[in-house]
Every structure is written in C-alpha cells, then in structure tokens.
C-alpha cells in the first residue's frame, strides 16, 4: 500500500539547513495499522506530511497504491488526497462555520456526490460513531473528543485507502482519547489501512506494528 | 466530445461546492458587518447612477422645459437674414391638414424697447429706465394651448383675446427677478401689474398697461414681452402678415413623429421658407456640449466610486481569507480544489455587490426618480430631474458586479495559492 525509499527532507533557510528526515525506508501493507513513535522533534509529523502528499520530499521515492507520487502534478495530488487519502489532525481542523454534518459532507460534494447522497452518507457515519444528536452543531458547540470524532468521520466518509492521523489524541483527556483510539481500532478491524503518529505509549498496543523515529531515522521497530 | 462534457460537469460541481461554502460563510458572518458592506455597495451604486443622472438631468430638464414651454415638438423660425417666414399661412394650412397635430401657434416678433418709470423720472440727466427686448404678438389661446404660457404668469393675469392695450412682461426684464444678473443686463425697476410702460418698435411708441409678469426657466420666454396679435399689428408697420415663429405641438400619442412632420414640410417644398427644426434639433448646441461634459464628469465621479467599492471588497475578502487561511489550507489538504475555494469568495463578493445594487435600484426607481419628478431641482436654467435610463443603469450594475468580482478574486487567489501545509500549520 505504501512504499517509502531513501526519503530525505531538508529545510533550507538563508543561512541554515535543517536535515529533518535522513534516509527513511518504510513499507505499510494493506489493512495494516502502523504506529509512528518518537520524541518531540524527531520528525514524525514531517514524515507523515511527505507520505500523505501534503509536502514534497527533498529526495527519495514514495509509492502509494502502486503510483509513484513524485511523477504526479499538483492537480493529480489534490485529486488523490480527495479520493484515496484521509486526514485526522491533532487540532481537529474542522471548518468553523460548517455544522458537523456539513464538515463531513464537503469532501463528498467535491467528489461529485449529490447533496442528498452526501447528507445520507454523512448522517449515517456520524450516527455510527454516536454523534446522531450533534450533527447540526457547529464545531464550537462540540467537545474536543466530539470534534475529533467528527474529523474522523470526515476522513472516513469517502472510504479512503489510507487514513493518516497525526497525534489525534494529544489535545484530548484520557476518556475522549480512548474513545478516539477505539474508533480507530474499530475501523481498522473492518480493513482500513491506518498510519498514526503518537507519542503516547499506552496507545501503541492497538497498533499492528510500531516504528520508532529518532533524529530523522527509523531506529527500531516492534510489534505489541 | 466526451472530454468536454466531463469538464462541464467538473465545473458545475466546482461551482456547486463553492456555492455551498459561500452560502454558509455569508450566513455565518457578522450581521452588522455584512449590513455595512452592503450599505457601502448601495452608496457606490447610487453614486454611480445618481450623480451623472442628476447632472444630465439638469440639462435634460431644461430640454424638456424648452420643448414644453417654447418650441413644441417642431418649431419653424425665420431664416437668418430674412424678415419673416415666407408663406407662413400656406405652411399653417398644410400643418392643420396633417394628422396628429394638436396645436399650432404663430408668433410675430420684432425687436423693440420697453420703458418704465418715465412718469416719476425727475432727473433727466440720468438714463431712462429702458430695456431692449423682443416684442411678441401672439394668438393668446393658441399660444396658451401650446406652451401653457398662462401657467407661468406669476403676477397679475394672462392676456385675454378681446382686450387691447395690455402687455405681459418677461421676468428676466425686471430687476427684482434677476437680481444676480442686474449688473450685467439693463433691467427695469418696479413694473407691477396695472402700471404703465412705453413700448417702442422702430419709431412708433405706444403705452401699454402691464397685465402680468411671466416667469419661466426658458430664457426665450421670460426675456420677451407678449401682446395680442391685434395690438402687435397696431404698433408694427411691416409689409405682409407672415409670422416669425411657428411652434407645432403633436397629440400626446400621435402616430406621426416630429421628424415626420418636418420631412413632410420639406417634401411639400417649404424648406427655404423657414428654418424647420424638431424640438431635439432646436436644443442649443452649447446645452448638448454641457450635457456631454456633465455626463463625463458624472462618470468620472462614478469611476472613483467604483474604485472605492473595489478597494472595500478587496479589503473585506482579503481580511476574510487571511484570517481563514488555516481553514483554506485544511480544505485544500483534504482535496477541495483551489478553484472551488476561490469561487466561493467570488460568490461572496457578488453577493455584496448584487445586494447593494438591488437596494440601489430600488432606491433609484422607487424613491429618487419619482421624487425628482415631483420636486425638481431648482436650477437657474432648468428644473433638474434624475435621468436614469434602465439600460444604462443595468449596465452600471453589471460593471459594479464585474469590478467587485475581480476585486474579490485577487485577494482570494493570493491566499489560496499559498503552500497548503504552511497554511495548515500557520507558518
Ligand atoms: N518548515 C520547517 N523549517 C525548518 N525546520 C522545520 C520545519 N518543519 C519542521 N522543522 C524541524 O524539523 C524537526 C522535526 O519536526 P516535526 O516533524 O514536527 O517533529 P515531531 O512531529 O516528531 O515532533 C523539528 O526540529 C522542527 O523544528
Ligand atoms: Mg508532530
């Protein structure tokens, strides 16, 4: 599903070069739940942005779903993000003026679903994660845990091939954090490929496999 | 073919998503800010339509008055260098046989002098109180039907047909009506209805009793003195009984046009007997020049308004897009196309401009146009109205939309094209 070969990312400013990723090799199989762990500043987010097509690596190769991503143009990358990738951000990243339902609808509309279809798909998925009562609430009228679940619903609504999550529980208390992780586990059981960055060891046990990042390199791998 | 159909569908979908976003953003935005922006757009639209409309209307009001109070729909005047309109009465009978003509007024005109206050003049070393003016002999009934002259008698009364020795004096000949111009033109002191004046044409002088004072904004009317046709011929010694002006009025919904009346007269062969003009042609050239200059001026002022409106929209959309840059980044991140986001901002600008434009249209056509028709602007040479032809107003509306569309697009494009990840992370 994901093949990363010899990946480098260097940030250049006027008089400073920061080498953040220094030769990453990584493979994620279809249906796998991969955890990326490491200290703050190790390069976990940077790695995820490269794999999930939000950024361009300095060097190296990323193959997603059989497609070499460096050969894609801007528009094709946008299209792929819409059709085959799903994103869950640490700070939920919901659009404030849209209701929970509308936030989930937006990618579906963009994919060309009719408004009625988008509403029914979004409603169904929000109901399935226990937010039936909240679908018309704006993000500001939801708790952090609820917002993160809406954001997972948005990422899942169009059945992405790969779901990316960057520290999805970092802003949540342990109860909400648990419910979010359990939601991940549930969708993983249905066959969803997931790549999740976390630095909370207690959640590692839900993953199939964990890679440890240190100073821009994968230093270790483990299975719980 | 298939390719084309696909891309139309893609466009439709992009606009649909944009509309979805724009609608919710407008709904979610601060009500009083929205009101303020729409208010600015309304003012801009009014500035665009009303300023030039009133400037043009000042002249247009003058043109209308000129037609209604002086020329009628067609006016025949004396050819320069000739003493009168030759074959006046053949022209008159030709006109009276044409369909659709309502009134014909013949005016007999001579240059003369009116003297006042000669009875109370003690000091003969000073100049007498005299003005040079045109003396017009009229058929009181025909003239009143054509030009409503009696309506403009502001003191005293209009002439009656069977009365002799009475005169109407144009207000512009009197100092009390033309205070501002008094220093430049000789004008008479006093002269109230019932007083006596001396009228001299060539070397014949007669005394007349002032019956009334005529005041209109049409210079040709209020710079004249009027008497009955019969009195005119008693005073004037000239060969023939041709007139100097023939004013012709068409019936309100006449099928025949002023141009047609003119071309009929020309084709019958009156082309050299008098100078035949439609009301439009009789408008003095300088007025047309002023009209062009005024509408240019109005457009310049309107253009400034357009610039202000586009800057307003630019700032509004810019601030909106900058403060929402993170969300723009997220939407791009999850695969919403840049076009859809940009169009959502264009739709917002169009919303502001069209709300302002529609409000402006209502104000113009439901309030201002009727208001100025019933309360014309009091100007020295006209009663100004608001001229706002619907075609031109719609064009200005479209112009406002186009300009705000561009003004909304530019800042939106600038923010949307920024790096997606940088936007999401706020770097
Ligand atoms: N745009 C950037 N410019 C310069 N340095 C950056 C940039 N983005 C990240 N870094 C640096 O890269 C390192 C790794 O960052 P990040 O991937 O966010 O770490 P993690 O997610 O593991 O905490 C950090 O030292 C950070 O300062
Ligand atoms: Mg991070």
């Amino acid at each position: 599903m994901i093949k990363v070969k010899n990946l480098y990312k260097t940030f250049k400013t006027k008089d400073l070069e920061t080498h953040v990723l220094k030769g990453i090799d990584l493979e994620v199989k279809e249906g796998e739940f991969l955890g990326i762990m490491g200290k703050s500043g190790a390069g976990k987010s940077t790695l995820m942005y490269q794999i999930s097509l939000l950024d361009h690596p300095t060097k190296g190769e990323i193959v997603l779903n059989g497609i070499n991503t460096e050969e894609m143009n801007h528009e094709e990358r946008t299209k792929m993000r819409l059709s085959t990738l799903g994103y869950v951000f640490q700070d939920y990243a919901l659009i404030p003026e849209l209701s929970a339902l509308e936030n989930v609808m937006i990618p579906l509309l963009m994919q060309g679903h009719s408004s009625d279809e988008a509403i029914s798909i979004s409603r169904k998925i929000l109901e399935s994660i226990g937010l039936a009562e909240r679908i018309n609430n704006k993000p500001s009228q939801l708790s952090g845990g609820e917002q993160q679940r809406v954001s997972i619903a948005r990422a899942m609504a169009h059945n992405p091939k790969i779901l990316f999550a960057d520290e999805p529980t970092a802003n949540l208390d342990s109860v909400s954090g648990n419910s979010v992780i359990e939601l991940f586990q549930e969708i993983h059981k249905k066959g969803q490929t997931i790549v999740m960055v976390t630095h909370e060891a207690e959640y590692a046990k839900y993953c199939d496999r964990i890679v440890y990042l240190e100073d821009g390199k994968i230093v270790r791998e483990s299975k719980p | 073919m298939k390719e084309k159909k696909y891309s139309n569908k893609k466009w439709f979908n992009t606009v649909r998503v944009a509309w979805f976003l724009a609608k919710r953003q407008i709904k979610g935005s601060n009500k009083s800010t929205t009101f303020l922006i729409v208010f600015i757009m309304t003012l801009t639209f009014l500035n665009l339509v009303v300023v030039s409309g009133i400037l043009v209307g000042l002249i247009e009001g003058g043109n209308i008055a000129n037609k209604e109070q002086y020329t009628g729909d067609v006016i025949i005047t004396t050819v320069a260098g000739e003493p009168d309109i030759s074959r006046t009465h053949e022209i008159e009978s030709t006109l009276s046989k044409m369909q659709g003509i309502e009134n014909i007024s013949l005016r007999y005109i001579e240059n003369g002098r009116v003297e006042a206050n000669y009875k109370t003049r003690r000091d003969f070393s000073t100049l007498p109180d005299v003005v040079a003016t045109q003396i017009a002999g009229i058929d009181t009934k025909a003239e009143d039907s054509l030009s409503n002259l009696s309506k403009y008698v502001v003191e005293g009364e209009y002439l009656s047909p069977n009365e002799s020795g009475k005169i109407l004096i144009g207000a512009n000949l009197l100092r009390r009506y033309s205070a501002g111009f008094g220093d430049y033109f000789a004008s008479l002191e006093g002269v109230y209805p019932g007083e006596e004046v001396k009228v001299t044409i060539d070397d014949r002088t007669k005394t007349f009793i002032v019956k009334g004072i005529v005041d209109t904004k049409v210079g040709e009317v209020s710079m004249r003195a009027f008497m009955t046709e019969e009195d005119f011929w008693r005073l004037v010694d000239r060969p023939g009984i041709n007139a100097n002006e023939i004013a012709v009025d068409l019936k309100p919904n006449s099928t025949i046009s002023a141009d047609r009346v003119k071309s009929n007269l020309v084709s019958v062969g009156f082309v050299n007997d008098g100078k035949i003009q439609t009301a439009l042609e009789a408008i003095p050239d300088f007025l047309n020049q002023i009209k062009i200059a005024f509408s240019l001026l109005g457009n310049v002022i309107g253009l400034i308004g357009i610039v202000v409106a586009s800057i307003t929209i630019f700032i509004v959309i810019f601030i909106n897009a900058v403060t929402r840059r993170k969300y723009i980044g997220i939407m791009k991140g999850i695969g919403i196309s840049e076009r859809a986001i940009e169009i959502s901002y264009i739709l917002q600008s169009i919303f502001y401009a069209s709300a302002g434009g529609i409000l402006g249209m209502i104000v113009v056509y439901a309030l201002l146009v009727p208001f100025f028709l019933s309360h014309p602007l009091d100007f020295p040479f006209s009663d100004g109205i608001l001229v706002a032809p619907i075609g031109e107003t719609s064009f200005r509306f479209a112009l406002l939309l186009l300009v705000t569309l561009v003004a909304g697009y530019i800042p939106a494009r600038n923010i949307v094209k920024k790096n997606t990840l940088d936007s999401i992370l706020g770097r």
Side-chain angles (χ1 to χ4, degrees):
Chain A
M1 181 75 9
I2 305 175
K3 273 199 188 108
V4 176
K5 269 191 221 150
N6 202 26
L7 191 71
Y8 283 82
K9 180 69 184 179
T10 305
F11 293 103
K12 283 189 190 120
T13 52
K14 242 181 265 157
D15 41 21
L16 194 69
E17 277 194 4
T18 322
H19 302 276
V20 178
L21 301 179
K22 306 167 179 171
I24 303 271
D25 291 294
L26 182 68
E27 201 164 320
V28 183
K29 293 201 176 56
E30 189 160 356
E32 195 175 11
F33 188 172
L34 178 81
I36 301 175
M37 294 193 72
K39 281 192 214 128
S40 180
K44 308 181 293 293
S45 297
T46 306
L47 174 60
M48 224 196 66
Y49 298 144
Q50 313 308 311
I51 311 173
S52 64
L53 305 189
L54 287 174
D55 204 358
H56 290 269
T58 311
K59 207 175 93 182
E61 194 180 283
I62 301 166
V63 179
L64 288 186
N65 207 17
I67 302 163
N68 188 339
T69 59
E70 281 312 287
E71 285 163 10
M72 296 165 83
N73 66 24
H74 185 73
E75 204 177 324
E76 287 166 338
R77 287 165 69 93
T78 305
K79 235 183 195 160
M80 184 157 194
R81 289 202 303 271
L82 177 68
S83 61
T84 42
L85 309 179
Y87 299 86
V88 177
F89 297 95
Q90 181 177 330
D91 58 0
Y92 332 128
L94 297 173
I95 310 302
E97 69 270 4
L98 303 184
S99 68
L101 185 75
E102 290 163 346
N103 263 287
V104 180
M105 279 170 72
I106 263 286
L108 294 169
L109 291 175
M110 193 71 227
Q111 282 191 310
H113 287 278
S114 76
S115 185
D116 287 344
E117 269 169 20
I119 289 174
S120 92
I121 297 171
S122 309
R123 189 191 292 272
K124 218 171 275 169
I125 190 159
L126 284 167
E127 279 167 0
S128 76
I129 58 173
L131 289 172
E133 309 284 294
R134 294 274 181 275
I135 57 172
N136 291 320
N137 287 29
K138 296 271 160 67
S140 59
Q141 301 161 325
L142 297 169
S143 74
E146 287 169 335
Q147 289 187 58
Q148 194 59 299
R149 273 154 47 212
V150 171
S151 125
I152 295 168
R154 178 178 68 185
M156 292 301 300
H158 58 290
N159 291 316
K161 288 261 190 257
I162 310 161
L163 181 63
F164 293 100
D166 189 359
E167 309 205 28
T169 58
N171 287 6
L172 301 176
D173 59 54
S174 62
V175 178
S176 313
N178 278 327
S179 78
V180 163
I181 289 294
E182 274 157 22
L183 187 55
F184 275 120
Q185 201 192 15
E186 216 173 283
I187 54 186
H188 164 56
K189 274 183 185 152
K190 291 178 187 158
Q192 179 66 52
T193 311
I194 302 175
V195 177
M196 180 177 81
V197 171
T198 180
H199 60 231
E200 282 153 290
E202 55 177 309
Y203 295 137
K205 63 173 184 271
Y206 295 97
C207 300
D208 293 334
R209 182 165 61 107
I210 295 149
V211 295
Y212 294 87
L213 213 58
E214 213 176 286
D215 194 21
K217 284 180 191 147
I218 293 177
V219 290
R220 189 154 66 85
E221 223 186 277
S222 76
K223 291 194 179 188
Chain B
M1 195 62 212
K2 205 177 169 193
E3 186 84 351
K4 180 82 194 275
K5 207 173 153 197
Y6 225 93
S7 100
N8 279 346
K9 203 173 147 193
K10 194 174 115 188
W11 261 106
F12 172 77
N13 195 46
T14 305
V15 173
R16 189 177 65 122
V17 172
W19 174 238
F20 181 90
L21 291 172
K23 204 162 82 183
R24 279 151 187 86
Q25 251 202 77
I26 292 167
K27 263 196 199 155
S29 66
N30 184 301
K31 294 284 170 293
S32 51
T33 312
T34 306
F35 176 81
L36 201 67
I37 298 165
V38 170
F39 185 59
I40 291 175
M41 299 313 285
T42 307
L43 290 182
T44 305
F45 183 76
L46 291 178
N47 183 34
L48 208 56
V49 172
V50 174
V51 173
S52 66
I54 282 181
L55 288 175
V56 168
L58 287 178
I59 307 297
E60 200 55 43
N63 293 345
I64 291 170
N66 210 51
K67 176 176 158 180
E68 286 179 350
Q69 297 164 33
Y70 175 54
T71 64
D73 293 293
V74 177
I75 183 143
I76 305 164
T77 50
T78 308
V79 175
E82 296 291 326
D84 52 32
I85 303 168
S86 43
R87 297 200 284 162
T88 294
H89 296 281
E90 285 167 58
I91 296 175
E92 187 190 8
S93 79
T94 306
L95 282 169
S96 57
K97 279 179 212 133
M98 282 187 206
Q99 297 236 313
I101 283 175
E102 189 158 62
N103 297 304
I104 303 169
S105 179
L106 272 51
R107 299 177 190 136
Y108 304 90
I109 297 162
E110 283 289 341
N111 289 322
R113 282 176 296 136
V114 176
E115 182 180 353
N117 306 314
Y118 45 89
K119 283 185 181 160
T120 50
R121 187 168 165 225
R122 297 276 171 265
D123 182 358
F124 283 83
S125 67
T126 60
L127 290 170
D129 199 1
V130 162
V131 287
T133 180
Q134 288 189 328
I135 315 291
I138 54 171
D139 174 334
T140 52
K141 251 183 93 184
E143 181 61 35
D144 194 32
S145 309
L146 186 123
S147 65
N148 283 319
L149 189 58
S150 65
K151 211 177 103 187
Y152 300 96
V153 173
V154 290
E155 291 178 48
E157 280 167 39
Y158 187 58
L159 297 172
S160 20
N162 307 318
E163 211 174 17
S164 183
K166 299 288 171 73
I167 192 167
L168 291 182
I169 304 283
N172 286 9
L173 304 175
L174 305 183
R175 183 175 290 271
R176 68 176 188 276
Y177 281 94
S178 48
F181 304 113
D183 295 339
Y184 306 102
F185 302 110
S187 46
L188 304 174
E189 287 290 352
V191 186
Y192 291 90
E195 291 181 14
E196 204 183 86
V197 291
K198 269 191 208 165
V199 180
T200 305
I201 295 176
D202 292 333
D203 49 4
R204 297 203 195 187
T205 301
K206 268 184 190 292
T207 58
F208 283 80
I209 303 291
V210 176
K211 181 128 194 239
I213 308 297
V214 181
D215 189 15
T216 95
K217 300 237 164 125
V218 178
E220 275 80 359
V221 178
S222 28
M223 293 278 282
R224 278 181 178 171
F226 295 89
M227 59 181 66
T228 64
E229 220 175 303
E230 294 77 15
D231 278 346
F232 181 85
W233 289 118
R234 266 177 220 127
L235 184 61
V236 173
D237 176 29
R238 74 184 202 194
I241 48 161
N242 283 330
N244 300 87
E245 281 177 7
I246 306 172
V248 183
D249 226 2
L250 299 178
K251 288 193 175 124
N253 36 27
S254 150
T255 48
I256 191 170
S257 68
D259 284 314
R260 194 63 204 283
V261 171
K262 179 184 169 180
S263 64
N264 278 355
L265 289 175
V266 168
S267 69
V268 174
F270 292 121
V271 66
N272 294 320
D273 294 317
K275 187 175 173 192
I276 309 167
Q277 289 175 304
T278 63
L280 202 63
E281 293 164 342
I283 294 166
D285 193 45
F286 83 94
L287 274 184
N288 280 327
Q289 301 285 347
I290 295 179
K291 190 171 163 182
I292 292 167
F294 272 13
S295 83
L296 196 73
L297 186 67
N299 286 339
V300 168
I301 294 169
L303 206 69
I304 295 170
I306 284 249
V307 172
V308 172
S310 56
I311 293 172
T312 307
I313 289 291
F314 184 96
I315 293 172
V316 166
I317 299 295
F318 181 75
I319 290 176
N320 185 317
V322 164
T323 53
R324 301 182 75 265
R325 187 177 151 220
K326 178 181 168 73
Y327 304 111
I328 291 173
I330 290 161
M331 286 197 276
K332 283 168 66 190
I334 64 174
I336 309 300
S337 77
E338 294 182 12
R339 277 279 172 273
I341 301 167
E342 283 158 14
I343 293 172
S344 81
Y345 281 102
I346 290 177
L347 290 176
Q348 286 181 65
S349 333
I350 289 179
F351 165 79
Y352 293 129
S354 41
I358 289 167
L359 274 179
M361 285 271 214
I362 292 171
V363 171
V364 168
Y365 289 110
L367 291 176
L368 295 179
V369 169
F371 175 82
F372 281 115
L373 271 180
S374 56
H375 304 85
L377 284 177
D378 187 12
F379 239 62
F381 56 89
S382 74
D383 289 322
I385 52 169
L386 174 59
V387 174
I390 188 80
E392 203 164 308
T393 309
S394 310
F395 172 76
R396 279 154 201 250
F397 194 165
L399 188 72
L400 183 68
L401 280 183
L402 187 76
V403 169
T404 47
L405 186 149
V406 174
Y409 172 74
I410 294 169
R413 175 81 202 120
N414 266 318
I415 306 298
V416 171
K417 78 175 181 205
K418 287 205 185 322
N419 179 284
T420 305
L421 190 59
D422 287 348
S423 297
I424 295 175
L425 300 176
R427 330 187 263 227

